[in-house]
Amino acid sequence: MDLDQDEIAARAPNLGIQRILEEYRDRWDATHIRQQCEAFATGEPYEISCLDDRRDWDAIEAMVPDEFFGMSNTELRPHYLELQTADDGYGAALNYCRSVGAVE
């Protein structure tokens, strides 16, 4: 069972918005990972583990512009391509985590 795909499919009316939700999931992951590593670095409680079944899907969905949910796959394509080429922050979050010793 792929929990992410089940959650995305339940929230997305078409393939285009599914792909966009995946991109915003990656951005949410990067922010969450960074926050956990910042907590590690400052001695606060943290949890660094797999995010499956732990993501805040309401927050992820809220990141997506409302008008995207009414668009067709064709209309969503340029937005998806733009998200794909933009920096999602994931690499920077991992680099930060390495720099503070939270991950190797």
Side-chain angles (χ1 to χ4, degrees):
M1 181 167 80
D2 187 334
L3 299 173
D4 279 352
Q5 289 308 314
D6 292 345
E7 188 68 42
I8 289 169
R11 293 172 182 271
N14 60 42
L15 184 60
I17 202 71
Q18 288 178 11
R19 297 296 173 251
I20 286 175
L21 276 168
E22 289 170 351
E23 291 293 324
Y24 280 101
R25 176 202 56 204
D26 294 347
R27 285 155 176 76
W28 184 90
D29 285 1
T31 300
H32 179 78
I33 290 166
R34 173 83 184 218
Q35 290 169 343
Q36 294 305 306
C37 292
E38 287 172 350
F40 170 87
T42 59
E44 297 174 32
Y46 66 92
E47 187 171 343
I48 298 173
S49 65
C50 177
L51 292 174
D52 283 346
D53 201 31
R54 299 187 46 212
R55 291 179 173 95
D56 183 347
W57 282 101
D58 291 334
I60 295 167
E61 185 175 353
M63 295 168 70
V64 179
D66 290 338
E67 63 270 13
F68 284 13
F69 287 94
M71 293 181 174
S72 69
N73 289 334
T74 303
E75 293 168 320
L76 288 167
R77 183 167 171 70
H79 301 289
Y80 172 63
L81 293 174
E82 183 178 337
L83 286 167
Q84 271 193 315
T85 58
D87 181 10
D88 60 14
Y90 200 87
L94 289 179
N95 287 338
Y96 174 79
C97 291
R98 287 185 193 101
S99 75
V100 298
V103 297
E104 292 183 12

